[in-house]
Amino acid sequence: MLTINNIDAAKAKMDLDNKTFAELAAKFKTEAKESAERVVLSLHNADTVGMLLCVYQENAKGVMVGAKAVKNAIGAKSILVILPEGKENFESFINDAAAFVDEKVEFVYGTCVKREYENDLIIHPVTCAKIAASLAGEDTDGYIVCVDKKVPFVVKFGTKLSEIAGSDFKAVRIGNRLLGNAHKDAVIDADFPIENGVIETVSDEECVVKLTSEIIHDLRLRSCGRCVYCREGLAQIDTVLNDITLSRGRANDLEFMEEIVNAMHKYSNCTFGQTAGGSVTALLTEFMDETKEHMQKKCRTLKCASMLHYYIDQSLCKGDANCNAVCKYAAINGGKDFINVIDDFDCKKCGECVTACAQGAIKVVSGTMPKVPDKPIPLKEGLVAASGDGEITQAPTGKKPRRRR
Amino acid sequence: MVSITVDGKKIEAKEGTSVLRAALDAGIYIPHLCHHPDLKDISACKVCFVQVEGHDEPETSCNLTVEDGMVVVTKNEEIDKLRKLAMELILAAHPEDCSVCPKYGKCELQNLIQYLGVAPSRMRLRAKGFQLEDQNPLYDHEMNRCVLCGRCVRACNELRGVKVLQYNREGLEIKVGALHDKLLKDADCRFCGACAEVCPTGSIRDRLVYTAAEKQDKLVPCRATCPANTDIPRYVRFVKEGKFDEAAAVIREKLTFSECLGHVCSHVCEGECRRQNVNASVSIRNIKRYAAEKDTGSFWRGKEKRLPDTGKKVCVIGAGPAGLTAAYYLRKQGHAVTVKEALPKSGGMLQYGIPSYRMPRDIVDKEADYMISFGINIEYNTKVEDVMSLKNEFDAVLIAIGNHVGTLLPMDGNDADGILLNIDFLRNASMGNETGLGKKVIVLGGGNVAFDCARTAKRLGAEEIHVACLEARDKMTADDEEIEQAGEEGIFVHPAQAFEKIMKDANGHVAGVAFTDILSFTFDENRRAIIEKKEGSYHEIEADTVIFAVGQRCGLEGNDEIERGRANSIAVDEKAKTTSVEGIFACGDVTYGTKSVVMAIADGRKAAESIDKFLGGDGDISEVLAPEQIRDPYIGRWEGFGYAERKQPKVLSASERKDNFNMVDFGICDEEICGEAARCLQCDLRFDITTSKSWSDYGKEA
């Protein structure tokens, strides 16, 4: 559907009867109306990326043939195209394609507020392109996808997810949803939740909680703000996830988010709010273990700074105190010829010391902090760890390590 | 009609209506916030959940269409949970300082919180951090309090078609405002108040503070301040639509002498007009004048209320605006009315006070004659000497003699020849009598009457005319246009002057007036004038005529039993217009001092009501003359509305007007009158918007 081989054949068949359109509507999962004022072409509001706009660039004629066919079928009076803000440059080639089918289209910019188009038929441009392809007798079984920001292409139904995204991923983000690795063999067919077609793989090194927090924050900035669950729900989830990544999660936060996400999904007024919580749902199901770890202040990918503990492996420290010199926060106690000690309370987790240490003695953990000396130990007197496994031995100070947190 | 069951109660509903509207109409309350009876529903607040039997999940009832046989439950655990979640979410970003909010006690959100009993305790609370926007006229925007129900946006866009308010993003928050957060005036706001009317919270609100009882008067101040309570917004709207007969009929419902008022009304309404907060008040008097001039009487002429004769007899003393108005309404109530007028014609001050270049006499005669034609027996040149004796002949007597005696200030030289009193001078000029005017004239006084005297003197051929008064220029009571036009005609105005003495020549004739400049002029707590004079500023102005224009009083001598008030006025009961003698009433200037024509007319109406009751009638003189007005709520866009200038009347140039008594002010011309009327903010329009009910109002009637 990115290009139609025989566009003239499609154009020739533009006059559909209602029945045929109803069939096409069922096939392409779009609204079937018997009559409408206008045919309104719009992306889903949930599609904040707009990759699918490529169908206008690659196949504007196909889109317009499909739109005109729909217009004829339901007796609409005109065609209106809603484009995202800043896509004014699309007007020229859409106009050209419209001229091809003897139409003049009207343009509106921004999101599609459904209420304003109550008397119209809202249809996706890709669906129009598919209708045109169908008229030309061409194969319409497939989706336009874009994997990891590469050139968009058409994936045929029956393809496995792993065939286009590989199988070496922790998760894939499709639209606003996150799917875990367990879905790698999922078959892409008409029922596959393809969302906006934008697929991004998430590697094992990435933290899904942090990623979700970023996704939600971005969505919060894009919500039109008209209905409560979407607007205020995103605000709450954004704050809660941010709190969790900052180790400030509260006991009931997961149940709280679940309640909001469910309400958003069921009762938001448009696809934006209905799908906005998708990544959170994944956190609460497929990625529950990782999420729960975060509630225990542990980030297994070491991406959530507040959950990290930097410490100096005594067995590796040679006492050159480079770490001490680069620390901007004076969080490292000791000096030359000492086994230095990082004060976990003062440490701002910037990681500068890690690169400064030639011995690689500075380690990062998340979760339980290993036992480290309470204060710096002079290298000559200190117990140099003989064991090679890096086990930390405490200097005989007789004092208990202070715990401030 | 379809039939549905809500909480076990069977109700009828119009096809296509929503479950929410059907339930509310049937007196069954479903909690809601963004729903407003006059606006389209958008399912934004997520509070109005219900459960339909057979459906999987609860649904919002505002966008759920009724179906025959539908069985609906408005309360269950799941609904409660969803509703509370929505409310908690809303409250998470709403300030908790209800007690300092101007909407406290009238807030729909507060009301709903009480009903649902929710608090956002498990929410992450936040402050939106918007500043109070108070740079707009009339309305304050405190968007921190906004719950984004979208009612104002819908009212502005769909109900009014003004399309100013919209949702804007500001950082993490959404804020309702004009495009690019412009000031309302710059965004072509029509200041109709629909936004403030539908706002459930204190976010968009009137800057004026009022109680429910005061609301109409405070928000439609023109109608409230008009002494006769003329329905100004209504006739202004008719004029805007080009329906002048209809407009005139509206005016006739409350006023007599409507065309005269179009020329000389003191127009207190314009002083209160809310449009002046936007730029300049609507030229209401000129609109009225235009309607009255164009009126053919098709709606009111011959359709006035006329009750059968009662056999009761009333005598009205004085055929001025107050007396003649009272006589007119009393006659229509069926009483036999005799008017005794001391002067040869009717109209009072309209006929003998206000100069004819301001108040053409043919209009006065026309309007007075129309009233008299209802069968009023009028006796001219009949000065009543003995009020009490009239009681024998009539069932009721009304004293409406006005204030026709000028005041002479007690000062040195006030006995000189060539001293004239305002009222006498103007009356003589009106009647074409010899006035005794010389060539060099000094008028003492700073009100409209002083300028009437000065400008009349000009027209009678005086060569040099001065107006001097105690008040500073900005405190003078005369209309600005009077002072300006006098200046244009070559009249010298001297504000802030203390009158020292009147100088006399050897023959005892006026030779001039001595003045001292005044630095400050105030009143102490006993209302006594305190004057601070400028040292060494004594100066004299030569003149052969001095006209006192420093007020007037009634000429009633004290040979009757009627109780007096201030300055020999007649003491009356404020409402009933009764005097201390039963059967004798009084109204107009004679009871309260010199005021305005419109007040006299309003007072005349009150007196007529009271006398009618006294004579056994119901006291109801009200009339419905104008057709019902269809107020179009969709006022639409008007680019630059807030900047539309007040139309100026056409006025003769000084050279054209200064030597004759031709009419000076021609009012607003044909092409501009509808435009001027369209400048009206239509403050009355918002009262057509349905008032939202509280949950406590439901179920009472059931």
Side-chain angles (χ1 to χ4, degrees):
Chain A
M1 64 243 36
L2 274 185
T3 52
I4 293 172
N5 296 322
N6 196 347
I7 192 75
D8 291 321
K11 190 182 169 188
K13 282 193 174 176
M14 243 161 21
D15 287 313
L16 295 167
D17 57 70
N18 289 348
K19 191 162 164 276
T20 320
F21 173 61
E23 282 165 8
L24 288 172
K27 183 174 175 189
F28 299 126
K29 299 202 165 141
T30 196
E31 195 186 8
K33 273 193 179 178
E34 284 178 14
S35 67
E37 286 280 307
R38 296 177 293 188
V39 175
V40 176
L41 271 61
S42 170
L43 297 186
H44 293 140
N45 284 346
D47 185 351
T48 54
V49 183
M51 180 277 291
L52 294 175
L53 289 172
C54 68
V55 75
Y56 284 121
Q57 285 165 308
E58 301 292 328
N59 186 17
K61 282 184 180 173
V63 175
M64 280 302 137
V65 167
K68 173 91 184 236
V70 172
K71 174 177 170 257
N72 290 347
I74 58 174
K77 292 192 185 73
S78 62
I79 299 172
L80 181 129
V81 174
I82 302 178
L83 290 172
E85 309 265 3
K87 295 289 180 194
E88 287 79 2
N89 57 324
F90 276 55
E91 282 194 19
S92 63
F93 48 82
I94 293 175
N95 278 331
D96 290 346
F100 174 69
V101 290
D102 305 317
E103 278 295 325
K104 256 186 97 67
V105 296
E106 205 185 322
F107 293 93
V108 168
Y109 291 87
T111 51
C112 171
V113 181
K114 265 168 132 180
R115 254 168 15 89
E116 291 172 16
Y117 304 104
E118 272 173 0
N119 301 322
D120 306 316
L121 174 83
I122 304 170
I123 192 165
H124 200 286
V126 171
T127 308
C128 289
K130 284 188 174 187
I131 288 171
S134 163
L135 293 175
E138 291 175 21
D139 185 12
T140 60
D141 288 345
Y143 290 127
I144 300 173
V145 295
C146 167
V147 180
D148 287 336
K149 300 195 169 71
K150 291 185 200 116
V151 180
F153 59 96
V154 175
V155 54
K156 291 274 158 218
F157 287 171
T159 314
K160 279 185 185 173
L161 183 57
S162 56
E163 290 176 55
I164 55 167
S167 46
D168 187 22
F169 57 77
K170 177 180 184 176
V172 285
R173 179 183 173 186
I174 305 178
N176 295 326
R177 299 162 60 98
L178 281 179
L179 297 179
N181 190 267
H183 294 272
K184 67 173 184 287
D185 292 326
V187 176
I188 297 172
D189 57 16
D191 295 325
F192 188 83
I194 197 67
E195 309 271 325
N196 61 3
V198 179
I199 300 175
E200 281 182 68
T201 52
V202 179
S203 77
D204 282 337
E205 269 109 74
E206 284 184 66
C207 169
V208 283
V209 178
K210 201 160 189 227
L211 175 66
T212 303
S213 172
E214 287 160 6
I215 292 172
I216 293 294
H217 186 73
D218 178 61
L219 290 172
R220 179 185 177 187
L221 289 172
R222 293 168 189 271
S223 164
C224 79
R226 279 159 178 76
C227 65
V228 164
Y229 285 150
C230 174
R231 178 186 74 242
E232 298 297 335
L234 283 172
Q236 289 297 321
I237 295 173
D238 180 29
T239 316
V240 168
L241 284 173
N242 191 44
D243 281 357
I244 291 175
T245 60
L246 292 175
S247 307
R248 291 197 305 240
R250 295 182 197 165
N252 296 320
D253 275 350
L254 300 187
E255 294 82 357
F256 179 52
M257 284 199 293
E258 190 181 4
E259 188 182 340
I260 294 175
V261 172
N262 287 342
M264 278 171 66
H265 177 65
K266 280 184 201 159
Y267 297 110
S268 289
N269 287 349
C270 76
T271 57
F272 181 92
Q274 287 156 14
T275 64
S279 57
V280 180
T281 308
L283 280 193
L284 299 174
T285 51
E286 290 186 65
F287 300 103
M288 193 56 161
D289 289 348
E290 202 172 330
T291 310
K292 277 190 172 159
E293 280 172 14
H294 278 76
M295 297 304 284
Q296 309 296 325
K297 298 176 187 168
K298 184 180 172 191
C299 175
R300 59 169 83 160
T301 58
L302 307 180
K303 287 291 189 295
C304 296
S306 74
M307 295 172 194
L308 305 184
H309 304 289
Y310 285 77
Y311 68 94
I312 294 169
D313 187 335
Q314 293 177 74
S315 63
L316 299 174
C317 179
K318 292 228 172 113
D320 51 19
N322 285 342
C323 55
N324 200 319
V326 297
C327 182
K328 287 195 279 268
Y329 307 101
I332 303 180
N333 299 323
K336 212 154 176 56
D337 298 327
F338 278 88
I339 294 175
N340 287 262
V341 176
I342 298 173
D343 186 321
D344 195 47
F345 185 80
D346 290 338
C347 176
K348 296 281 186 287
K349 335 280 184 191
C350 70
E352 297 258 337
C353 53
V354 178
T355 41
C357 181
Q359 285 74 42
I362 298 175
K363 306 287 188 195
V364 193
V365 292
S366 185
T368 321
M369 172 74 168
K371 279 184 177 171
V372 289
D374 183 34
K375 58 180 185 183
I377 305 159
L379 260 177
K380 282 165 198 159
E381 294 166 35
L383 299 168
V384 179
S387 55
D389 60 6
E391 192 192 318
I392 297 148
T393 327
Q394 198 184 345
T397 56
K399 265 181 158 181
K400 281 197 161 182
R402 59 182 172 159
R403 299 194 107 161
R404 285 200 245 158
R405 289 187 78 178
Chain B
M1 292 298 262
V2 296
S3 151
I4 66 170
T5 311
V6 181
D7 289 343
K9 195 180 156 194
K10 217 170 175 138
I11 62 171
E12 294 285 307
K14 255 209 299 236
E15 229 160 299
T17 193
S18 70
V19 171
L20 178 63
R21 282 172 198 260
L24 294 177
D25 287 349
I28 302 168
Y29 180 68
I30 297 174
H32 58 270
L33 186 59
C34 69
H35 163 80
H36 186 280
D38 297 356
L39 303 171
K40 266 199 207 169
D41 288 310
I42 55 170
S43 181
C45 68
K46 309 293 176 193
V47 174
C48 65
F49 281 106
V50 294
Q51 175 73 55
V52 180
E53 204 177 88
H55 291 203
D56 294 344
E57 307 270 358
E59 288 153 278
T60 48
S61 56
C62 65
N63 56 349
L64 180 66
T65 310
V66 290
E67 281 165 33
D68 201 34
M70 216 177 213
V71 179
V72 179
V73 178
T74 69
K75 283 184 214 96
N76 69 27
E77 209 178 308
E78 209 183 341
I79 289 171
D80 207 40
K81 220 176 137 190
L82 285 165
R83 244 177 226 165
K84 284 191 167 166
L85 175 64
M87 276 303 280
E88 286 171 316
L89 287 168
I90 289 168
L91 294 178
H94 187 81
E96 291 178 291
D97 56 352
C98 285
S99 57
V100 301
C101 177
K103 206 66 178 271
Y104 182 82
K106 292 173 279 182
C107 173
E108 287 179 48
L109 183 69
Q110 189 184 24
N111 190 270
L112 192 58
I113 294 169
Q114 285 161 357
Y115 181 83
L116 293 172
V118 285
S121 47
R122 61 190 181 131
M123 295 285 143
R124 301 294 207 274
L125 303 181
R126 70 181 197 279
K128 293 184 181 176
F130 300 137
Q131 299 279 312
L132 171 73
E133 173 60 81
D134 58 1
Q135 300 301 301
N136 288 310
L138 304 172
Y139 307 107
D140 280 331
H141 285 200
E142 193 177 349
M143 301 323 278
N144 276 342
R145 301 193 184 278
C146 176
V147 294
L148 290 160
C149 66
R151 284 191 194 176
C152 53
V153 177
R154 278 173 283 158
C156 187
N157 287 268
E158 293 161 14
L159 188 66
R160 291 283 183 259
V162 178
K163 302 184 181 172
V164 168
L165 293 181
Q166 59 177 39
Y167 297 87
N168 291 326
R169 176 162 282 285
E170 200 166 301
L172 285 173
E173 303 294 347
I174 301 286
K175 182 179 160 192
V176 169
L179 179 69
H180 305 314
D181 237 2
K182 282 195 273 197
L183 287 177
L184 294 177
K185 194 172 167 182
D186 296 321
D188 302 331
C189 174
R190 304 283 307 261
F191 299 97
C192 68
C195 49
E197 187 65 33
V198 297
C199 180
T201 68
S203 315
I204 298 184
R205 55 178 194 251
D206 294 297
R207 187 160 303 133
L208 275 174
V209 178
Y210 48 78
T211 63
E214 294 169 336
K215 191 174 173 185
Q216 286 262 2
D217 286 357
K218 289 254 185 165
L219 294 181
V220 193
C222 53
R223 187 167 59 202
T225 46
C226 176
N229 296 118
T230 322
D231 197 347
I232 293 165
R234 192 155 152 241
Y235 76 70
V236 169
R237 188 176 291 110
F238 273 137
V239 169
K240 180 188 77 179
E241 293 164 356
K243 297 176 177 167
F244 306 119
D245 274 18
E246 286 88 337
V250 173
I251 299 165
R252 296 285 312 186
E253 286 180 358
K254 297 282 187 187
L255 292 173
T256 57
F257 287 111
S258 49
E259 195 174 341
C260 292
L261 285 171
H263 286 258
V264 298
C265 186
S266 56
H267 58 69
V268 281
C269 49
E270 291 183 28
E272 296 293 321
C273 175
R274 273 156 63 85
R275 170 92 207 199
Q276 69 188 301
N277 295 287
V278 180
N279 63 350
S281 58
V282 175
S283 192
I284 300 170
R285 186 176 75 190
N286 274 319
I287 290 170
K288 172 200 275 163
R289 171 173 166 178
Y290 193 91
E293 282 172 0
K294 287 286 169 289
D295 175 33
T296 65
S298 61
F299 283 98
W300 56 270
R301 207 177 279 271
K303 297 184 179 113
E304 293 95 339
K305 184 175 183 179
R306 294 200 76 161
L307 298 184
D309 285 348
T310 59
K312 302 281 185 187
K313 288 164 74 185
V314 186
C315 179
V316 176
I317 312 171
L324 208 52
T325 299
Y328 170 69
Y329 285 107
L330 285 168
R331 179 68 204 107
K332 296 200 303 162
Q333 295 297 103
H335 308 300
V337 183
T338 300
V339 176
K340 292 179 187 289
E341 168 59 52
L343 289 160
K345 292 177 94 176
S346 45
M349 282 295 183
L350 289 168
Q351 187 71 262
Y352 294 109
I354 302 167
S356 57
Y357 62 86
R358 283 218 286 146
M359 185 64 260
R361 296 297 188 258
D362 53 336
I363 299 170
V364 182
D365 293 342
K366 181 182 79 181
E367 296 201 293
D369 288 349
Y370 181 74
M371 288 188 267
I372 294 164
S373 74
F374 277 69
I376 295 168
N377 171 34
I378 191 155
E379 297 168 11
Y380 292 114
N381 302 311
T382 308
K383 190 166 163 76
V384 174
E385 301 293 348
D386 183 4
V387 175
M388 301 308 284
S389 69
L390 290 171
K391 275 199 69 181
N392 305 326
E393 205 183 321
F394 295 96
D395 298 303
V397 178
L398 174 65
I399 307 171
I401 58 172
N403 287 343
H404 283 264
V405 177
T407 308
L408 191 66
L409 285 178
M411 62 189 285
D412 255 7
N414 70 3
D415 55 348
D417 288 340
I419 288 182
L420 306 175
L421 290 176
N422 50 0
I423 300 303
D424 299 339
F425 171 68
L426 291 172
R427 185 194 303 136
N428 284 330
S430 293
M431 295 172 79
N433 297 344
E434 178 52 47
T435 57
L437 190 73
K439 292 290 170 202
K440 289 177 118 183
V441 182
I442 297 176
V443 180
L444 301 178
N448 279 334
V449 177
F451 283 88
D452 284 346
C453 291
R455 297 177 69 186
T456 298
K458 182 84 193 172
R459 283 157 176 77
L460 289 176
E463 284 159 10
E464 187 181 314
I465 302 163
H466 299 267
V467 176
C469 64
L470 282 168
E471 297 88 353
R473 172 67 180 81
D474 58 333
K475 296 270 163 55
M476 287 168 69
T477 56
D479 295 342
D480 280 341
E481 62 199 35
E482 282 290 317
I483 302 172
E484 280 158 25
Q485 289 179 7
E488 288 165 16
E489 289 167 12
I491 293 163
F492 302 101
V493 181
H494 309 273
Q497 298 295 315
F499 313 151
E500 295 296 340
K501 64 175 182 191
I502 294 170
M503 297 169 305
K504 289 192 253 188
D505 65 10
N507 303 324
H509 198 89
V510 168
V513 180
F515 298 101
T516 315
D517 292 351
I518 292 178
L519 288 175
S520 77
F521 171 40
T522 48
F523 290 96
D524 70 1
E525 62 270 24
N526 297 324
R527 299 242 339 124
R528 264 193 307 240
I530 301 174
I531 293 170
E532 192 194 334
K533 295 179 190 172
K534 188 176 168 187
E535 250 176 76
S537 66
Y538 178 90
H539 58 283
E540 295 173 350
I541 298 176
E542 276 183 31
D544 53 18
T545 309
V546 171
I547 302 175
F548 277 93
V550 290
Q552 46 274 340
R553 55 192 172 78
C554 68
L556 210 59
E557 300 311 324
N559 58 359
D560 51 56
E561 298 147 31
I562 303 165
E563 197 186 309
R564 296 299 153 86
R566 249 184 99 234
N568 207 33
S569 63
I570 298 177
V572 288
D573 177 273
E574 176 90 36
K575 275 189 183 143
K577 304 295 161 195
T578 49
T579 66
S580 58
V581 180
E582 203 194 331
I584 297 186
F585 299 77
C587 70
D589 280 0
V590 71
T591 63
Y592 48 62
T594 306
K595 292 273 171 67
S596 61
V597 178
V598 67
M599 251 187 102
I601 292 169
D603 223 41
R605 281 175 57 99
K606 279 185 206 157
E609 285 169 349
S610 174
I611 294 170
D612 183 49
K613 259 189 226 163
F614 175 73
L615 297 176
D618 59 5
D620 179 14
I621 62 167
S622 66
E623 290 167 295
V624 178
L625 301 170
E628 209 185 324
Q629 184 171 53
I630 298 147
R631 288 183 285 267
D632 183 3
Y634 197 86
I635 56 182
R637 283 188 66 77
W638 178 352
E639 221 169 287
F641 175 79
Y643 290 96
E645 300 263 3
R646 179 181 159 110
K647 301 286 188 306
Q648 295 305 319
K650 181 174 175 279
V651 179
L652 285 185
S653 71
S655 59
E656 286 173 293
R657 71 188 186 230
K658 67 184 176 188
D659 57 356
N660 58 64
F661 282 89
N662 294 340
M663 190 168 72
V664 166
D665 183 329
F666 287 80
I668 295 174
C669 67
D670 297 345
E671 302 84 68
E672 291 190 318
I673 196 70
C674 297
E676 179 59 22
R679 287 179 67 242
C680 177
L681 302 183
Q682 306 197 47
C683 302
D684 62 336
L685 202 55
R686 65 191 276 188
F687 291 94
D688 292 344
I689 296 174
T690 313
T691 311
S692 289
K693 286 201 277 183
S694 157
W695 50 271
S696 54
D697 298 330
Y698 288 88
K700 279 178 185 166
E701 64 270 34

